[in-house]
Amino acid sequence: MVEGKRREEIAEEIAVQASQLRRMAEEARMPFLGYLAEMVVLEAWREASRERDASEEHGASGAAG
């Protein structure tokens, strides 16, 4: 893991950085690069959400047991 960070935090950082790259690509009139960066943004947020849901599910089952 990256210096003790949770997978969710890493995915969120990737989403933010990819969003900045998307803006740069759009400003430079590079639509395909902007599109690819946007796909990274969407997938990173999806991964962060998946990690969050798994964490909450694990926490709920741990509390009940």
Side-chain angles (χ1 to χ4, degrees):
M1 207 74 48
V2 178
E3 298 184 26
K5 291 187 180 184
R6 295 185 343 248
R7 288 174 50 93
E8 178 185 343
E9 292 172 318
I10 294 167
E12 289 173 357
E13 286 184 28
I14 291 170
V16 169
Q17 291 179 19
S19 180
Q20 294 168 347
L21 291 173
R22 179 190 54 81
R23 272 185 297 233
M24 288 173 54
E26 288 176 355
E27 289 173 6
R29 295 187 183 106
M30 299 177 183
F32 187 64
L33 285 178
Y35 167 78
L36 292 175
E38 180 65 16
M39 294 301 102
V40 172
V41 170
L42 294 174
E43 184 56 29
W45 283 121
R46 188 175 300 131
E47 185 66 30
S49 176
R50 191 176 302 133
E51 288 297 319
R52 194 174 310 113
D53 292 346
S55 171
E56 289 172 0
E57 186 175 297
H58 179 68
S61 66

